[in-house]
């Protein structure tokens, strides 16, 4: 009897460990990779749809915190000791749902990039659905570090209560560049390549890529 209950306890303990482990050790569940790769495929056409179909130097008005770049991620990691990747991933979803909404809003019904953007948004929502379902609900109720909570509160403010000083102008293409680069950085396990160790969080990685990108065009 005693032995039985000990082994039940042990089993329970192991199960508990097993349930906790994915949250603490592997912030990116494997199930996230399929929708993120689909999103990555869409994003590979962003130059065509977010630049060529818009007037030169066209910008849209976004919230200051909707400019979310690799430099923001490294700054936040420095500011908050032991910052959980999951917190940054949540912020990434929060920021980019607003970005996509704002890009869609400026495009008339018949804009040539509208179907592309609408599909991008659907794929983004799919990834978000998988993200939410692959973590226990408690994770989303956890208190956020103060800087992140401040950013979050600003992002979710009523637009007409946002002071003029917190709006920024950014091109749709630059917003989607940020979207794409930060996605690779925060979900790097899904984009790891077999041949080389890549640091998707480093700005210089993307600089190299950009030169390659530009060659056929200019
Ligand atoms: C992501 O898209 C880029 C093209 O923009 C491609 O080179 C890369 O292989 C894709 N990564 C994955 C993991 O699908
Ligand atoms: C676009 O912006 C660049 C850099 O600010 C400027 O040099 C160029 O004249 C602008 N082009 C147009 C068409 O406004
Ligand atoms: C990213 O940094 C810029 C300043 O470089 C700031 O204006 C913006 O609010 C930051 N974004 C987030 C999400 O914190």
């Amino acid at each position: 009897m005693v032995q039985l209950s000990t082994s039940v306890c042990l089993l329970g303990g192991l199960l508990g460990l097993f349930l906790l482990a994915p949250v603490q050790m592997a912030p990116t569940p494997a199930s996230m990779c399929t929708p993120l790769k689909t999103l990555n495929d869409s994003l590979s056409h962003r130059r065509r749809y977010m630049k060529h179909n818009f007037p030169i130097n066209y910008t849209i008005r976004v919230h200051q915190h909707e400019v979310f770049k690799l430099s923001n991620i490294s700054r936040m990691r420095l500011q908050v000791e032991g910052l959980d990747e999951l917190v940054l991933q949540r912020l990434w979803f929060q920021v980019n749902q607003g970005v996509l909404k704002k890009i869609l809003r400026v495009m008339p019904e018949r804009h040539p990039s509208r179907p592309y953007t609408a599909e991008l948004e659907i794929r983004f929502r799919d990834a978000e659905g998988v993200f939410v379902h692959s973590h226990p609900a408690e994770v989303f109720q956890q208190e956020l570090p103060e800087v992140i909570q401040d950013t979050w509160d600003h992002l979710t403010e009523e637009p007409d209560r946002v002071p003029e000083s917190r709006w920024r102008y950014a091109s749709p293409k630059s917003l989607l560049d940020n979207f794409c680069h930060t996605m690779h950085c925060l979900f790097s396990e899904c984009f790891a390549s077999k041949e080389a160790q890549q640091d998707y969080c480093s700005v210089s990685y993307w600089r190299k890529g950009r030169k390659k990108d530009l060659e056929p065009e200019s």
Side-chain angles (χ1 to χ4, degrees):
M1 262 331 248
V2 174
Q3 254 182 349
L4 183 70
S5 63
T6 315
S7 51
V8 167
C9 268
L10 247 172
L11 189 69
L14 279 177
L15 252 168
L17 262 182
F18 182 73
L19 288 176
L20 277 175
V23 182
Q24 295 177 338
M25 294 162 59
T28 308
S31 55
M32 278 302 291
C33 293
T34 308
L36 288 178
K37 281 178 184 160
T38 310
L39 204 51
N40 183 53
D41 289 341
S42 290
L43 285 168
S44 64
H45 305 293
R46 66 188 184 279
R47 174 177 294 279
R48 175 159 152 221
Y49 290 106
M50 289 293 131
K51 188 161 186 154
H52 298 171
N53 288 343
F54 284 97
I56 295 172
N57 293 350
Y58 183 80
T59 58
I60 62 174
R61 194 176 76 153
V62 295
H63 194 282
Q64 173 194 349
H65 296 312
E66 282 166 345
V67 178
F68 183 51
K69 307 181 191 199
L70 294 173
S71 56
N72 292 93
I73 294 179
S74 43
R75 201 173 320 129
M76 285 173 179
R77 282 178 176 154
L78 285 175
Q79 274 176 319
V80 183
E81 207 182 319
L83 180 57
D84 194 341
E85 282 295 291
L86 199 84
V87 167
L88 289 171
Q89 294 174 344
R90 285 173 64 192
L91 186 63
W92 182 84
F93 278 108
Q94 182 66 33
V95 165
N96 287 297
Q97 69 147 52
V99 165
L100 288 175
K101 212 194 286 175
K102 291 198 174 64
I103 297 176
L104 271 169
R105 198 178 292 153
V106 298
M107 296 191 308
E109 224 29 74
R110 306 182 59 156
H111 190 283
S113 293
R114 197 173 172 97
Y116 168 79
T117 316
E119 178 167 276
L120 194 62
E121 198 192 27
I122 291 169
R123 291 179 166 191
F124 175 76
R125 295 257 170 232
D126 287 347
E128 191 177 28
V130 175
F131 179 68
V132 169
H133 284 111
S134 57
H135 294 291
E138 303 86 74
V139 159
F140 299 101
Q141 276 132 37
Q142 257 165 31
E143 211 174 298
L144 294 168
E146 201 180 323
V147 252
I148 311 278
Q149 185 66 54
D150 283 350
T151 304
W152 197 283
D153 292 344
H154 285 314
L155 281 167
T156 49
E157 225 165 25
E158 284 294 321
D160 49 359
R161 299 188 48 193
V162 175
E164 201 52 44
S165 62
R166 279 212 290 272
W167 293 112
R168 293 287 179 275
Y169 288 87
S171 71
K173 165 74 166 47
S174 77
L175 291 166
L176 285 198
D177 284 346
N178 295 343
F179 179 116
C180 179
H181 300 168
T182 50
M183 173 178 82
H184 280 78
C185 169
L186 293 176
F187 300 94
S188 58
E189 286 138 272
C190 294
F191 297 102
S193 94
K194 280 183 216 91
E195 304 97 58
Q197 188 82 16
Q198 305 286 18
D199 183 7
Y200 295 119
C201 295
S202 95
V203 175
S204 60
Y205 171 80
W206 297 100
R207 288 245 169 80
K208 268 186 286 166
R210 194 162 63 199
K211 264 188 222 131
K212 221 169 30 193
D213 245 32
L214 282 173
E215 265 165 28
E217 260 184 288
S218 40

